[in-house]
Amino acid sequence: MNLVIHPTKRFPMPVFAFPFRRTSTALFSALMLAHAGGALADVSPLSVSGNKVLAGGQTASFAGNSLFWSNNGWGGEKFYNAGTVGWLKSDWKSKVVRVAMGVDEGGGYLQEAAANKARVKTVVDAAIANDMYVIIDWHTHHAENYRSQAITFFEEMARTYGKSNHVIYEVYNEPLNISWSDTIKPYAQAVINAIRAIDPDNLIIVGTPNWSQDVDVASRAPISGANIAYTLHFYAGTHGQFLRDKAQTALNNGIALFVTEWGSVGASGDGDVADAETWAWVDFMKAKGISHANWALNDKPEGASVLVQGASAQGGWSAGQLTRSGALAKQIISGWPGATVPAAGCTSVSTPPET
Ligand code: MG
């Protein structure tokens, strides 16, 4: 469990009026502990009800950024720091950030566990300090081959962060074109069981077949258990109405979706911005109340990168340092209607706009 009790902006410290007699010490301590338990979580707990992700029991959706692969030497790892996270919160109004922890590729977790895990924790701690949700993503196309390693990793994450409402577990980024029922679902169930033995409630997101497009397939045989959502990825230069139709089928079948990656460019991560199709997706996500994270917070010279090469790794980017897709992503994220609902029990809960 992370015990960083950061300065809180929304929770005035309570005033205890009762006298400090010895007999009241236990009650006082209990009240302080109860309040500390709430104040640790400066965002509302996420849950799933039907095909909706709820925040503090209310329909809400959030927009933010996915970092690039965390792997040593790939270039995107330099953005895994508190400066970047704080800038995304203050300047982009991002409410969620995703750590894409590379697993089996070169320089990833299997080869360089300590370095990759340290990056993950740096970003998670920064997100918590900035009152943002944070997705811990097991970023691989072959997670079923690394099930025991995934369980060990997510058990540690659950022990460290399971009491923080900010944290979301994403147990499989993008399966390839493999069987949901025979391969992905059993893998996910095993990892979910391990997480749930430690953390009974935080949101868990599960990747779906075919690069997290076949949410309709998953919706016909969903995983049993509480607070589980399913990954939908789209790249507007490649994916249009046919994929929104699959998403609508999944929603109709009653599963909740979370777009943990989207791009305004092609599915390769490169190519031109597809403006009209991107806005069609934005309209769809708004209408359905689906949260999302843009791929990717990086300066690699390819279409999906939001930054031009050489931009600071610590935030503070000028408009001229955003790429065309970066400027569009910032416009969409900073204008997203989702509200952060104050944590239940500490102050009044406002209802976010119905989307
Ligand atoms: Mg929990």
Side-chain angles (χ1 to χ4, degrees), residues 127-180:
I128 292 171
N130 281 282
D131 306 337
M132 299 166 76
Y133 293 104
V134 57
I135 301 170
I136 302 174
D137 159 38
W138 187 251
H139 201 77
T140 173
H141 299 294
H142 309 281
E144 67 278 7
N145 295 340
Y146 313 108
R147 187 168 109 169
S148 66
Q149 294 94 332
I151 286 172
T152 299
F153 172 76
F154 280 108
E155 284 178 339
E156 181 179 342
M157 292 300 106
R159 282 193 300 269
T160 308
Y161 296 114
K163 290 196 169 66
S164 169
N165 290 330
H166 309 75
V167 172
I168 300 166
Y169 313 101
E170 186 177 19
V171 299
Y172 197 155
N173 166 47
E174 284 185 353
L176 302 181
N177 194 12
I178 59 175
S179 168
W180 167 254

Side-chain angles (χ1 to χ4, degrees), residues 268-293:
S268 68
D270 209 354
D272 294 333
V273 169
D275 288 281
E277 199 63 56
T278 298
W279 287 109
W281 275 106
V282 168
D283 289 345
F284 178 81
M285 292 190 292
K286 277 185 184 169
K288 309 302 175 183
I290 296 174
S291 296
H292 58 91

Side-chain angles (χ1 to χ4, degrees), residues 67-82 85 97-103 105-127 134-136 153 157 161:
L67 298 182
F68 194 71
W69 300 70
S70 68
N71 305 51
N72 287 15
W74 285 30
E77 71 270 31
K78 62 181 172 286
F79 295 102
Y80 281 68
N81 62 71
V85 174
V97 62
R98 176 181 188 244
V99 293
M101 192 187 72
V103 177
E105 309 274 354
Y109 176 78
L110 298 185
Q111 292 180 359
E112 303 282 353
N116 283 277
K117 202 160 61 180
R119 285 182 202 116
V120 168
K121 289 184 171 181
T122 295
V123 173
V124 173
D125 291 340
V134 57
I135 301 170
I136 302 174
F153 172 76
M157 292 300 106
Y161 296 114

Side-chain angles (χ1 to χ4, degrees), residues 162-163 199-202:
K163 290 196 169 66
D199 176 1
D201 49 13
N202 281 40

Side-chain angles (χ1 to χ4, degrees), residues 38-100:
L40 272 179
D42 216 7
V43 293
S44 295
L46 300 178
S47 61
V48 172
S49 178
N51 64 8
K52 298 285 191 196
V53 174
L54 309 180
Q58 309 280 341
T59 303
S61 62
F62 306 98
N65 305 79
S66 177
L67 298 182
F68 194 71
W69 300 70
S70 68
N71 305 51
N72 287 15
W74 285 30
E77 71 270 31
K78 62 181 172 286
F79 295 102
Y80 281 68
N81 62 71
T84 285
V85 174
W87 183 258
L88 291 174
K89 172 72 187 290
S90 64
D91 190 59
W92 286 53
K93 313 305 178 194
S94 295
K95 300 210 168 50
V96 59
V97 62
R98 176 181 188 244
V99 293

Side-chain angles (χ1 to χ4, degrees), residues 222-238:
I223 295 166
S224 56
N227 300 341
I228 297 169
Y230 297 81
T231 307
L232 173 68
H233 286 176
F234 73 83
Y235 286 82
T238 306

